[in-house]
Amino acid sequence: MVVRGIFVPSLSQKFTRFLAGAALIVWAGMCGSSVAQTPEVRAMWVSRFEWPSASQTIAKANIDQIMADIDNNNFNTVLFQVRGQCDVHYPSPDEPWTNTYSWANPGWDPLAYAIASAHSRGLELHAYINTHTLAASVPPGSTTPQHPYNLHGPSAPGEQSWMIRDSGGNAGLVDSYYWISPANTEASAWTRKQIMYIVKNYDVDGVHFDRIRSPGSTYTYDAATQRRFNNGQVGDTNPDGLALGDFMRSQITRDLRNIQGEILYWNAQQPTRPRVKTSAAPFGIVYKDGTTHYQGTGTQSYHSWYQDSWGWLQYHTLDFMVPQIYWNIGSAHPFELLLQDWMEHTGGRFIVAGSTTGSGSETLFNLLDEQQETRLQGAAGHCLFSVSSMGSYWSGFSSTGDPGPPVIPAPYDQPTTVPVMPWKTSPTSGTIVGTIVNQAGQQVVDAKINLTGDIFQSPLGGPYNYLSAHDGFFAILDVTSGSAHLLTASKTGVGRGRAANVSVGAGGVTSVTIVLANREGSLAFGQGSYVVGTTATLSLTDEDLSGNGTTTVTVKSVRETTPETITLTESMTTAGLFTGNVFLSGSTVVNGDGKVQVNNTDTLTASYFDADIGDGSSQTTTATASVALPGPIILESRTSGGGLTAAPTYEELTGSGWTNTTAKSTASGLTGSGGRFIGNGGYGAVAVFRTTIAVGGYYDIAVTEPNQTNGPNVSSPGAGWRITHDGPGGETLGSVDLVCTNTLIANQWLTLATNVPYNAGTQATVTFTNNHLGTAGTLGRFNMDAVRFSINYAPVAVTRWELE
């Protein structure tokens, strides 16, 4: 039938399920044992709203009565809440007492008292802890110890604020709490520290986590999440390049793994203490897809709150799960289908299904029906929320009652023990925990750790990428027993490290410390770009080679693909620093001569084989630089200081009366102040420009003169020119109008010859001869300003017999 849109199973449907359960009971009775005696978890949530009191007397009486009721009704496990929102019900060195005690020490230890009361009755007590709630209301500005909200609340800058925020930067109350960001590593380490304080200082049987989630899928805009998510790109903080949802879910999974690992390590040092169990109470609906039995419309915690509850089980980060399946059998969110999904995702761990009394509004029949379903599906047990509303429900669970037809036998009519956890009593694998530090011994956060042969895999392939926590801690679970395990660790800017031949026994916990050091060789060219015909410098830093004196690298180019081996010499003052150089030739080279042949647009690649990059593995490190043609060679008759350019760069071979002039071209690249001219008697005068070619190749040669404004007297039409080179004939001749009114030359570069061939080392000359009979002191001067050699490309060496 349907009541207000909610499906309620009919009496016949309930009776069918009752018959199945009754058959189990009858069969067990015929075999001489009661189903009730089969080990199972019979748990009760006891929240922080149900037992505390400012009065020590009242609070102790409440605790004793609760423990007595739980024991008398044959339950065996108490999930007893002692931490709500970074305030506590035990003397903590880090967090304040709750407002129940006016934020002050009440003079007694409620947690210790509850443990003693539970254990005196043979009950297990698990400390129930909220993990991701910072506050429910703003605490006093000063508490002792100071409340984390006052240190890491909304007004704290950047990542010092632990609060998760929406796209508007808001960190307000959501579901009655201010929430902690799962991506804030400092907050995560803090929470683990508080959990470990309880484990180390109290004889608890387990720790139980609630509010272990994000408040909603839109809360991802706090500083820590934004930085560490890294826009979904592969990096130190997001080594698998996870999308946002997967990244958020992975944060809690990583935290739980570290909590489990540290508890296992501590337990291994305390052989007389029972192994502490870990559990959590996630939302009952994880997600729905084509593989799930549940197909309802309820909130999917995997997507809405970033709870990867089934992943927690898969990675064995918890010993048992207590999902809050707070809906009846046959309802719109069927208890039986949701439980079936959980039972198909156990990962080899226990499921203890959680039900609610609805603050006393639920029928006893429905609660008993749900408890019976846990047995039908082979769950490890059942848990009820919560103790203060049990009232008349007690008798229905512990003795045959009459909740209304049909009568269901009381499931807890006999006491029983909790089931044994075989992975704790008969383990087949071990655990590795450790700390990542730098060379100064400081803890390193977000270092990537890999275990060779890990049973868990990265989404990108290869071993799972573990990350060190804010305190450098990491844990690797389910490590195969053996003595030859290799761990490698790295972080950009810090270095690499490893732990080799790590031995792990079944059920054992091995602790290691990995030191990260910059042992990875770093190779670089002295600059990013070189020109043909120059020398490229190289530097290599590798601490592993300190004291070696020399080492070698190889250099090649696109033109010369056979690598040239270059020897680098260690610095006399800086150990592990090696330097050297290689000449970049535009001509043919011989392998082994310390030179690399390059084209005019080429790329240099230097390579260094690093035998040990810090984690025992090797790699080849490379560096690149570009190669370009050299800039133009400009020869001017006068220097920038006004003096005559010295021979042989510029010489006036014939003619008397040469003198300075302020007339100057404004063509690009000139720096001289004025030029040189000869007037009267200048017919037949000769001037020459000379340069030694550094980079062999083909050049364009140009000349420039001032215009009419700058040099109105410049006028030498038909001047002869002669260019020497390494091409056929060895020279090229021509004439040019060196006239201020010649728009091709005035304040511009006029090309005299193109693709003129030169070998490196050749002295190139450009000679000008004045052929103007009308040369005069004014309006007829033979003027010398500048010439330019511009390389077009750098070929193999040219010869005088090579055709242009």
Side-chain angles (χ1 to χ4, degrees):
M1 65 178 177
V2 176
V3 179
R4 295 182 181 176
I6 299 176
F7 176 77
V8 179
S10 66
L11 182 62
S12 61
Q13 290 170 314
K14 288 189 175 183
F15 190 63
T16 300
R17 303 188 71 82
F18 159 72
L19 289 177
L24 284 176
I25 297 171
V26 171
W27 175 83
M30 292 173 61
C31 294
S33 64
S34 169
V35 168
Q37 294 175 337
T38 301
E40 65 180 347
V41 177
R42 300 171 178 177
M44 181 67 66
W45 275 300
V46 180
S47 78
R48 68 190 188 283
F49 305 109
E50 297 176 297
W51 63 266
S53 171
S55 166
Q56 179 178 163
T57 301
I58 295 174
K60 287 181 175 179
N62 291 342
I63 291 171
D64 288 335
Q65 186 60 56
I66 287 170
M67 300 305 173
D69 289 341
I70 290 172
D71 177 34
N72 293 339
N73 290 282
N74 295 330
F75 285 73
N76 55 26
T77 303
V78 186
L79 307 179
F80 188 82
Q81 191 169 24
V82 293
R83 184 179 188 260
Q85 51 277 323
C86 295
D87 51 16
V88 296
H89 293 274
Y90 57 90
S92 166
D94 301 317
E95 295 183 334
W97 291 88
T98 74
N99 60 358
T100 299
Y101 318 104
S102 300
W103 308 99
N105 190 335
W108 67 293
D109 189 338
L111 175 55
Y113 188 87
I115 292 170
S117 182
H119 286 176
S120 70
R121 294 171 171 84
L123 301 172
E124 284 196 1
L125 187 139
H126 298 231
Y128 167 6
I129 298 164
N130 282 357
T131 59
H132 285 81
T133 48
L134 182 62
S137 60
V138 177
S142 178
T143 61
T144 303
Q146 186 64 282
H147 196 290
Y149 180 94
N150 296 329
L151 301 172
H152 303 286
S155 61
E159 294 184 34
Q160 292 181 40
S161 174
W162 294 351
M163 298 178 72
I164 199 164
R165 298 171 187 267
D166 63 16
S167 59
N170 300 311
L173 287 170
V174 184
D175 291 342
S176 303
Y177 291 101
Y178 297 103
W179 292 78
I180 293 173
S181 169
N184 191 297
T185 59
E186 182 182 19
S188 295
W190 175 271
T191 301
R192 174 162 46 85
K193 180 181 178 183
Q194 307 319 306
I195 293 166
M196 290 308 302
Y197 180 81
I198 292 175
V199 170
K200 293 177 180 180
N201 291 278
Y202 292 92
D203 191 19
V204 292
D205 299 284
V207 284
H208 176 72
F209 310 132
D210 194 9
R211 302 289 176 175
I212 184 165
R213 62 180 177 89
S214 164
S217 61
T218 60
Y219 287 84
T220 59
Y221 291 89
D222 58 281
T225 297
Q226 290 295 296
R227 177 184 65 81
R228 298 183 67 246
F229 170 54
N230 196 35
N231 288 321
Q233 302 301 305
V234 173
D236 286 332
T237 56
N238 190 0
D240 300 308
L242 298 177
L244 182 59
D246 290 329
F247 172 80
M248 293 299 290
R249 283 183 284 271
S250 73
Q251 301 309 297
I252 298 176
T253 303
R254 292 184 185 280
D255 288 346
L256 284 173
R257 180 185 294 111
N258 286 339
I259 292 167
Q260 181 81 302
E262 190 166 0
I263 289 175
L264 289 172
Y265 176 68
W266 183 84
N267 252 149
Q269 315 308 309
Q270 308 291 326
T272 61
R273 284 280 299 274
R275 291 186 175 269
V276 176
K277 303 170 186 177
T278 57
S279 64
F283 195 61
I285 302 171
V286 182
Y287 61 77
K288 68 172 183 179
D289 62 14
T291 69
T292 60
H293 299 280
Y294 174 74
Q295 293 295 315
T297 59
T299 298
Q300 300 175 55
S301 61
Y302 181 89
H303 300 293
S304 295
W305 297 330
Y306 299 131
Q307 278 189 328
D308 187 13
S309 312
W310 293 340
W312 303 344
L313 290 167
Q314 172 195 345
Y315 287 115
H316 296 168
T317 63
L318 296 167
D319 294 311
F320 67 99
M321 198 74 80
V322 193
Q324 300 172 39
I325 311 177
Y326 288 174
W327 303 275
N328 299 147
I329 289 173
S331 69
H333 311 298
F335 180 96
E336 70 278 14
L337 297 185
L338 289 168
L339 178 57
Q340 193 171 356
D341 285 334
W342 279 96
M343 293 303 297
E344 292 178 3
H345 292 86
T346 66
R349 296 301 185 254
F350 285 168
I351 302 298
V352 177
S355 295
T356 180
T357 66
S359 299
S361 64
E362 188 54 82
T363 66
L364 175 60
F365 189 100
N366 283 338
L367 294 176
L368 294 175
D369 210 13
E370 291 159 17
Q371 191 282 332
Q372 177 181 285
E373 187 68 24
T374 66
R375 291 179 175 175
L376 289 172
Q377 294 197 30
H382 187 230
C383 183
L384 285 169
F385 188 86
S386 65
V387 70
S388 62
S389 60
M390 283 301 289
S392 61
Y393 299 127
W394 287 120
S395 61
F397 273 83
S398 61
S399 60
T400 301
D402 186 8
V407 175
I408 295 179
Y412 300 165
D413 61 330
Q414 297 293 324
T416 191
T417 58
V418 297
V420 170
M421 295 178 171
W423 57 92
K424 287 188 175 294
T425 57
S426 303
T428 59
S429 61
T431 301
I432 297 175
V433 299
T435 305
I436 307 296
V437 298
N438 61 19
Q439 287 182 290
Q442 299 165 324
Q443 297 157 341
V444 177
V445 62
D446 282 331
K448 183 179 73 171
I449 305 105
N450 298 115
L451 170 67
T452 302
D454 195 353
I455 66 169
F456 299 116
Q457 297 292 298
S458 161
L460 298 181
Y464 187 91
N465 291 316
Y466 301 92
L467 289 180
S468 58
H470 196 80
D471 55 358
F473 182 82
F474 71 91
I476 303 176
L477 310 177
D478 298 298
V479 180
T480 305
S481 298
S483 58
H485 291 291
L486 172 64
L487 282 79
T488 58
S490 64
K491 184 174 182 179
T492 303
V494 181
R496 296 173 179 267
R498 67 172 180 162
N501 299 317
V502 178
S503 179
V504 180
V509 183
T510 301
S511 178
V512 298
T513 298
I514 300 178
V515 180
L516 303 187
N518 277 315
R519 295 175 58 193
E520 186 174 344
S522 175
L523 180 65
F525 281 99
Q527 56 194 55
S529 180
Y530 293 93
V531 297
V532 180
T534 61
T535 297
T537 59
L538 284 159
S539 64
L540 169 70
T541 302
D542 191 342
E543 293 182 6
D544 290 342
L545 303 183
S546 296
N548 281 18
T550 61
T551 190
T552 60
V553 298
T554 60
V555 182
K556 63 180 181 179
S557 67
V558 175
R559 182 64 182 267
E560 184 181 355
T561 57
T562 302
E564 184 77 18
T565 299
I566 305 298
T567 298
L568 307 184
T569 303
E570 189 171 10
S571 167
M572 298 293 291
T573 58
T574 306
L577 173 62
F578 299 80
T579 58
N581 55 65
V582 57
F583 183 75
L584 310 179
S585 174
S587 304
T588 302
V589 298
V590 178
N591 190 254
D593 63 1
K595 302 177 182 178
V596 174
Q597 184 181 357
V598 292
N599 289 325
N600 54 317
T601 55
D602 211 326
T603 299
L604 296 172
T605 301
S607 301
Y608 165 65
F609 177 73
D610 193 342
D612 185 353
I613 61 175
D615 59 7
S617 62
S618 62
Q619 74 176 21
T620 298
T621 300
T622 61
T624 60
S626 62
V627 178
L629 292 173
I633 304 168
I634 295 177
L635 309 176
E636 300 181 66
S637 60
R638 288 175 64 189
T639 68
S640 59
L644 179 67
T645 298
T649 301
Y650 173 74
E651 282 190 89
E652 296 154 352
L653 299 183
T654 62
S656 58
W658 286 92
T659 189
N660 292 339
T661 176
T662 58
K664 184 65 181 176
S665 169
T666 60
S668 62
L670 299 178
T671 61
S673 57
R676 296 280 290 175
F677 80 94
I678 187 170
N680 297 329
Y683 176 73
V686 176
V688 61
F689 293 89
R690 299 185 185 92
T691 187
T692 299
I693 299 297
V695 178
Y698 292 95
Y699 287 77
D700 291 346
I701 301 173
V703 63
T704 187
E705 291 288 352
N707 67 3
Q708 192 170 11
T709 301
N710 297 335
N713 299 321
V714 175
S715 180
S716 178
W721 56 263
R722 174 178 175 269
I723 299 173
T724 62
H725 53 71
D726 291 321
E731 64 180 15
T732 299
L733 305 175
S735 64
V736 61
D737 292 334
L738 301 179
V739 180
C740 63
T741 57
N742 181 357
T743 58
L744 298 178
I745 198 172
N747 288 350
Q748 298 190 60
W749 291 107
L750 172 64
T751 300
L752 302 178
T754 61
N755 294 329
V756 179
Y758 291 104
N759 286 319
T762 294
Q763 186 179 72
T765 65
V766 181
T767 304
F768 292 93
T769 302
N770 181 24
N771 296 323
H772 182 42
L773 292 172
T775 300
T778 59
L779 301 179
R781 294 175 177 176
F782 177 54
N783 190 78
M784 287 289 98
D785 196 337
V787 297
R788 183 182 71 183
F789 291 75
S790 301
I791 190 169
N792 284 330
Y793 58 99
V796 178
V798 296
T799 70
R800 290 183 181 275
W801 299 276
E802 183 178 14
L803 294 177
E804 293 189 41

